[in-house]
Amino acid sequence: MSADSLPPTDEMSVVTLTDAIEESQFSQRVLIRRIIGRPDGGAGLAGQKVRVGGWVRTDREQGKGSFAFLELNDELCPTNLQVIVDAAMSLLDQLVPTGTCVHVEGELKVPPEGTKQRIELKVHKVLDVGTVNPAKYPLPKTRLTLEFLRDYVHIRPRANTVFVYLCACMYYIQLHIYRFDSDE
């Protein structure tokens, strides 16, 4: 076996599960799939400070309103990132409605044993909140039916249904066609 056909061991030794995760090129945030999509579920990133953004899928206020657990999704990953927000950081009434758009900065932590998450984000700073009007954007916590989505067409991309995956596939197909055409 020649030296050219051997894998580059010096490059492989540089890559570890605790390496910093890169931010998106234009939004200065880390994609949730880059955290959760790792082989260790993101547990190797504990202690790192990151910025994430996305839409609130579910919420739970705890401690008589002193903090809230938010399930945040940026629609690029089918799973959610659990985010813990203290009431001192922001008004929880603005953050907890399903569909609220948030951009937060905090530290990744390993949750206590017995939870389903492998990693969670403890928020240090709320950078931006896009509030939602529940009357115009009625997202229940239960799974949305296709009949419901027929009445509210603008909600389809935010729902965990076949439409989300169809939109993502169409996006990637269009992106690759664009790149192919621009390379020619």
Side-chain angles (χ1 to χ4, degrees):
M1 188 175 250
S2 69
D4 294 335
S5 63
L6 292 175
T9 55
D10 57 333
E11 291 175 19
M12 288 174 32
S13 64
V14 174
V15 178
T16 64
L17 288 178
T18 59
D19 284 343
I21 44 181
E22 74 178 74
E23 293 180 340
S24 294
Q25 183 178 2
F26 301 109
S27 64
Q28 287 77 43
R29 67 181 174 93
V30 175
L31 300 178
I32 292 174
R33 72 174 174 199
R34 291 194 180 142
I35 298 170
I36 297 176
R38 296 167 53 95
D40 63 352
L45 298 171
Q48 290 194 22
K49 293 189 187 314
V50 295
R51 289 182 180 182
V52 295
W55 288 267
V56 175
R57 292 289 180 145
T58 62
D59 64 89
R60 294 185 325 270
E61 282 192 55
Q62 299 288 320
K64 298 180 182 175
S66 62
F67 66 96
F69 292 105
L70 307 176
E71 293 285 330
L72 201 63
N73 191 294
D74 61 4
E75 297 181 2
L76 298 172
C77 179
T79 56
N80 302 326
L81 176 66
Q82 180 168 285
V83 176
I84 303 168
V85 183
D86 288 327
M89 298 294 146
S90 179
L91 294 173
L92 294 182
D93 294 342
Q94 292 180 346
L95 289 175
V96 296
T98 302
T100 301
C101 179
V102 296
H103 187 204
V104 294
E105 183 178 289
E107 184 177 349
L108 293 169
K109 296 188 179 266
V110 176
E113 289 187 32
T115 59
K116 66 178 184 173
Q117 296 87 8
R118 292 187 176 177
I119 194 79
E120 61 188 16
L121 182 71
K122 174 75 171 137
V123 174
H124 297 305
K125 187 176 182 183
V126 176
L127 302 170
D128 195 17
V129 176
T131 57
V132 64
N133 181 352
K136 291 183 180 179
Y137 200 73
L139 282 179
K141 290 185 180 183
T142 59
R143 188 157 178 88
L144 300 174
T145 63
L146 296 178
E147 291 78 22
F148 179 83
L149 291 172
R150 285 190 190 114
D151 294 334
Y152 298 97
V153 178
H154 63 285
I155 296 176
R156 288 180 183 176
R158 303 273 188 264
N160 270 345
T161 61
V162 70
F163 295 112
V164 172
Y165 304 109
L166 182 63
C167 289
C169 288
M170 288 173 43
Y171 167 76
Y172 284 111
I173 289 170
Q174 290 172 346
L175 178 68
H176 289 293
I177 289 172
Y178 171 77
R179 286 183 179 166
F180 178 80
D181 288 344
S182 64
D183 289 344
E184 293 296 312

